[in-house]
């Protein structure tokens, strides 16, 4: 019987752990080895390489860089598994630690950057930044213009640290409370170290938002950066993965077909309170079947899981069956035979791609020439929006998962065909689940249709609205008004300790069945102008 080819990282040499890992992975790809085996230890990543990529620009705040500095790159592998070790509790004992140069608002090397891989798998691996990118403490003094924080043991405390994406917490329960104190733009001033474990910040707006005795957490910076990145990695498998600390988005998967994830955890260790200044896991233009089990996200700003594609915008009608479209941000392939949905007000026209060509980049996006099997609607005009089905999953399922202390939404869903089962949402600033598209800033689509939310629990959610939507579950497409998010089943969920249960704005054909509302002032708040149809049956109130 033939043995499975295996590469052991400790058999390779390099200037540091990062160079050693790069050499081992390159050898595995060249020899078609199926496993790269890591020791149960911390791999300190210092050296980095510059990798040419078009994958940097994902939103309006992204850099336009065409390369990324990375500690580890995996490109063009076939059936490769990075296999770490586990401790006695079954947690990852292999930790990749990326450097932190302590510069304000700078980009840092991606720990792991993966493009164009087939059947890539990661198992039993954790990720962190050191020195830590986040800090936390308790407010011990304040005036109208400044605050003093006693920094918790083990957290960074140095002169000149930035104050980005600051949030506050109840010292008794540890619950995230209120609106964020600072956002991605930061406080505008830096921390001053006034004692070995004390920092002072002079900013009247910050001082006005915090109280004595509150816990606060903040970040060194808040760039649109990606600590781990997977693009066009089909049949991606993630198992027993942990992120302790991140400088930007913890993880991004882009244009991947079929993803399986089990026990993927984004959660700080120690007493830092927060994991990242941006989203935990962004799923972008991925398709196929996306199956997620035991996803745990705690302490991120903004969203726990953010799922979307981008709108295709008609730029020019070329013939009765062909048009030029523009799409913001990074390029992704279309699929012949796939469907494009053209939107005119609340009407949808489904057309099939007969052929397409990439017509080049420009205006911080890409142009697509698309010929269709059917004739374009006679009402087609410049500016009309479309969504590509091949940029959304055939089915997304997330079950048995937890979203806690999220200074955004737990799930931000701009996809169709979504199933969310037996998940908990606790202390989320925006709705625990927020359904709907966005147009004005990032052009994120599409609307959310064919949604099932079942057997979930919501506790203290949506205390600060997003796109005007609040509560445990919000339905709102930013930049639109109408019956856009449809066929939504909300079944057998528990919603408690929140002002609003379901806030249905741009919603239609919503089925609320068998839900329990405890301590909810307004179980259902609907938009009377949109006037979508909402069915209520067997719900319980207390």
């Amino acid at each position: 019987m033939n043995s499975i080819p295996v590469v052991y990282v400790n058999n390779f040499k390099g200037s540091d752990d990062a160079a050693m890992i790069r050499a081992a992975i390159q050898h595995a790809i060249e020899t078609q080895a199926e496993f790269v085996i890591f020791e149960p230890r911390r791999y300190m990543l210092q050296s980095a390489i510059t990798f040419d990529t078009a994958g940097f620009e994902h939103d309006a705040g992204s850099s336009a860089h065409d390369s990324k500095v990375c500690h580890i790159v995996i490109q063009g592998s076939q059936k490769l598994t990075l296999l770490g070790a586990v401790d006695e509790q079954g947690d990852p004992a292999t930790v990749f630690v990326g450097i932190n140069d302590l510069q304000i608002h700078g980009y840092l090397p991606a720990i792991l950057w993966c493009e164009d891989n087939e059947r890539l798998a990661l198992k039993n691996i954790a990720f962190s930044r050191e020195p830590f990118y986040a800090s936390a403490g308790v407010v011990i003094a304040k005036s109208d213009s400044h605050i003093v924080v006693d920094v918790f043991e083990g957290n960074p405390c140095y002169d000149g640290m930035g104050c980005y994406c600051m949030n506050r917490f109840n010292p008794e329960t540890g619950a995230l409370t209120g609106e964020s104190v600072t956002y991605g733009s930061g406080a505008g001033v830096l921390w001053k170290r006034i004692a070995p474990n004390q920092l002072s910040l002079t900013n009247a707006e910050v001082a006005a938002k915090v109280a004595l005795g509150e816990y606060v957490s903040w970040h060194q910076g808040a760039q649109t950066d990606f600590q781990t990145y997977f693009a066009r990695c089909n049949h991606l498998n993630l198992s027993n993965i942990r992120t302790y600390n991140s400088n930007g988005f913890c993880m991004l998967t882009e244009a991947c077909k079929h993803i399986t994830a089990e026990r993927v955890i984004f959660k700080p260790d120690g007493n830092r309170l927060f994991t990242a200044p941006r989203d935990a896991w962004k799923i972008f233009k991925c398709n196929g079947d996306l199956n997620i089990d035991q996803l745990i996200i705690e302490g991120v700003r903004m969203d726990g899981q953010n799922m979307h594609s981008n709108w295709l915008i008609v730029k020019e009608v070329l013939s009765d069956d062909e048009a030029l479209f523009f799409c913001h941000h990074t390029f992704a392939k279309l699929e012949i035979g796939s469907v494009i949905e053209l939107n005119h007000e609340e009407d949808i026209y489904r057309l099939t791609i007969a052929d397409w060509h990439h017509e080049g980049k420009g205006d911080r996006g890409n142009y697509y020439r698309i010929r269709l099997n059917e004739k374009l609607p006679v009402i087609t005009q410049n500016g009309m929006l479309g969504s590509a089905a091949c940029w959304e999953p055939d089915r997304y399922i997330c079950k048995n998962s937890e979203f806690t202390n999220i200074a955004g939404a737990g799930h931000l869903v701009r996809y169709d065909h979504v199933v969310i089962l037996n998940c908990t949402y606790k202390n989320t600033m925006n709705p625990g689940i927020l359904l709907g598209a966005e147009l004005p800033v990032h052009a994120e689509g599409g609307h959310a249709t064919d949604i099932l939310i079942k057997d979930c629990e919501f506790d203290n959610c949506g205390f600060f609205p997003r796109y005007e939507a609040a509560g445990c579950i919000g339905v709102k497409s930013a930049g639109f008004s109408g019956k856009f998010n449809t066929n939504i089943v909300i079944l057998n969920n528990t919603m408690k300790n929140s002002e609003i249960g379901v806030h249905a704005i741009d919603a239609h054909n919503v089925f609320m069945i068998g839900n329990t509302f405890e301590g909810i002032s307004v179980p259902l708040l609907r938009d009377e102008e949109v006037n979508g149809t909402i069915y209520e049956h067997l719900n319980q109130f207390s």
Side-chain angles (χ1 to χ4, degrees):
M1 183 174 65
N2 294 329
S3 61
I4 297 174
V6 173
V7 167
Y8 292 90
V9 175
N10 62 354
N11 289 336
F12 291 79
K13 297 185 182 300
S15 58
D16 73 327
D17 286 346
M20 180 175 65
I21 294 171
R22 291 195 297 269
I25 289 174
Q26 186 59 36
H27 181 76
I29 293 174
E30 291 173 354
T31 61
Q32 297 183 331
E34 294 187 19
F35 288 88
V36 177
I37 308 295
F38 293 85
E39 297 292 308
R41 72 174 181 87
R42 290 158 54 82
Y43 289 84
M44 308 305 295
L45 311 178
Q46 296 290 329
S47 66
I49 60 174
T50 299
F51 180 69
D52 292 336
T53 178
F56 215 122
E57 189 173 341
H58 285 82
D59 62 32
S62 298
S63 164
H65 293 168
D66 57 4
S67 64
K68 181 72 177 105
V69 177
C70 311
H71 289 306
I72 302 166
V73 172
I74 305 177
Q75 184 182 33
S77 70
Q78 299 283 331
K79 199 178 180 182
L80 180 66
T81 297
L82 273 58
L83 183 61
V86 296
D87 61 19
E88 293 180 353
Q89 290 74 41
D91 296 322
T94 298
V95 186
F96 293 172
V97 182
I99 62 169
N100 179 5
D101 60 11
L102 300 180
Q103 297 300 306
I104 297 299
H105 218 58
Y107 294 101
L108 292 171
I111 292 179
L112 183 64
W113 194 276
C114 307
E115 293 191 11
D116 301 300
N117 300 283
E118 293 290 333
R119 300 192 180 278
L120 177 66
L122 273 66
K123 297 185 178 182
N124 309 328
I125 295 175
F127 299 93
S128 188
R129 286 276 176 209
E130 291 185 9
F132 299 127
Y133 203 79
S135 190
V138 57
V139 179
I140 60 171
K142 62 167 287 186
S143 70
D144 291 341
S145 60
H146 87 286
I147 64 171
V148 176
V149 171
D150 193 62
V151 177
F152 295 146
E153 183 178 356
N155 279 265
C157 182
Y158 60 90
D159 193 62
M161 185 180 190
C163 185
Y164 295 86
C165 300
M166 176 187 257
N167 283 276
R168 55 197 183 95
F169 303 81
N170 184 307
E172 296 181 359
T173 65
L176 177 77
T177 60
E179 180 190 359
S180 292
V181 179
T182 67
Y183 289 84
S185 56
V189 292
L190 306 179
W191 289 100
K192 299 289 186 182
R193 189 168 182 242
I194 59 174
N197 293 306
Q198 291 182 6
L199 296 174
S200 174
L201 186 79
T202 301
N203 183 284
E205 292 184 6
V206 169
K209 292 181 180 180
V210 302
L212 284 174
E214 282 188 322
Y215 292 171
V216 289
S217 178
W218 64 93
H219 300 268
Q220 172 189 326
Q223 290 281 29
T224 299
D225 201 359
F226 312 111
Q227 185 159 276
T228 58
Y229 176 83
F230 303 87
R232 301 173 302 281
C233 293
N234 299 327
H235 297 278
L236 177 66
N237 188 294
L238 305 169
S239 178
N240 200 24
I241 304 300
R242 174 75 182 264
T243 298
Y244 295 107
N245 185 241
S246 177
N247 64 294
F249 287 82
C250 298
M251 184 166 74
L252 187 143
T253 50
E254 176 181 1
C256 299
K257 191 178 184 71
H258 304 309
I259 299 173
T260 301
E262 183 177 11
R263 201 164 182 256
V264 176
I265 300 173
F266 306 87
K267 184 177 180 179
D269 54 347
N271 50 12
R272 275 193 310 282
L273 302 180
F274 248 47
T275 306
R278 298 299 303 271
D279 303 20
W281 180 2
K282 178 175 177 176
I283 297 180
F284 180 56
K285 292 183 179 176
C286 294
N287 62 7
D289 293 324
L290 280 54
N291 292 297
I292 299 171
D293 191 7
Q294 299 176 73
L295 172 65
I296 298 175
I297 299 175
E298 181 175 325
V300 295
R301 166 87 182 106
M302 291 178 49
D303 303 307
Q305 183 143 73
N306 177 358
M307 309 181 297
H308 68 88
S309 61
N310 287 119
W311 291 108
L312 285 165
I313 304 169
V314 175
K315 301 302 288 186
E316 183 180 359
V317 176
L318 303 173
S319 69
D320 62 0
D321 65 354
E322 191 172 24
L324 181 69
F325 291 82
F326 173 77
C327 183
H328 286 280
H329 314 313
T330 58
F331 169 77
K333 290 183 178 180
L334 294 168
E335 293 181 6
I336 293 174
S338 184
V339 169
I340 287 179
E341 293 184 347
L342 283 183
N343 294 263
H344 176 67
E345 297 178 349
E346 294 177 359
D347 296 326
I348 297 174
Y349 300 87
R350 292 174 173 84
L351 308 170
T352 310
I353 299 174
D355 198 10
W356 70 276
H357 298 280
H358 183 214
E359 295 291 293
K361 297 180 64 175
D363 304 314
R364 299 203 68 174
N366 290 270
Y367 289 87
Y368 298 79
R369 185 186 183 107
I370 303 175
R371 183 170 59 83
L372 303 153
N373 285 331
E374 303 83 6
K375 289 185 177 180
L376 289 160
V378 294
I379 58 173
T380 303
Q381 59 185 336
N382 293 355
M384 198 168 177
L385 299 179
S387 58
C390 60
W391 291 349
E392 296 191 10
D394 298 326
R395 177 66 66 187
Y396 167 95
I397 299 176
C398 181
K399 59 185 180 180
N400 308 320
S401 298
E402 302 172 12
F403 302 81
T404 307
N405 285 355
I406 311 294
H411 258 119
L412 181 61
V413 180
R414 312 193 196 283
Y415 271 167
D416 301 333
H417 316 311
V418 169
V419 177
I420 300 176
L421 302 172
N422 193 37
C423 295
T424 62
Y425 303 84
K426 188 173 183 179
N427 309 327
T428 65
M429 191 174 89
N430 302 144
I433 299 175
L434 180 55
L435 307 173
E438 186 273 349
L439 181 62
V441 179
H442 303 298
E444 294 178 354
H447 304 294
T449 66
D450 183 23
I451 309 294
L452 172 63
I453 301 169
K454 182 176 183 290
D455 296 330
C456 295
E457 181 176 298
F458 301 82
D459 187 354
N460 188 34
C461 294
F463 44 80
F464 189 79
R466 175 107 158 259
Y467 316 138
E468 302 174 1
C472 296
I473 298 173
V475 188
K476 171 60 183 173
S477 286
F480 301 85
S481 180
K483 301 179 181 69
F484 293 109
N485 303 286
T486 64
N487 299 331
I488 300 165
V489 178
I490 301 172
L491 176 65
N492 295 345
N493 303 283
T494 299
M495 305 181 200
K496 57 187 181 180
N497 303 321
S498 307
E499 180 68 20
I500 300 171
V502 176
H503 194 175
I505 302 177
D506 297 319
H508 182 54
N509 283 351
V510 178
F511 300 83
M512 295 173 54
I513 304 170
N515 301 287
T516 300
F517 299 89
E518 302 174 1
I520 302 289
S521 300
V522 184
L524 170 64
L525 180 61
R526 59 192 299 168
D527 189 290
E528 299 299 335
E529 291 186 6
V530 172
N531 196 29
T533 300
I534 301 175
Y535 302 89
E536 298 180 79
H537 185 59
L538 297 178
N539 296 303
Q540 300 180 37
F541 309 92
S542 63

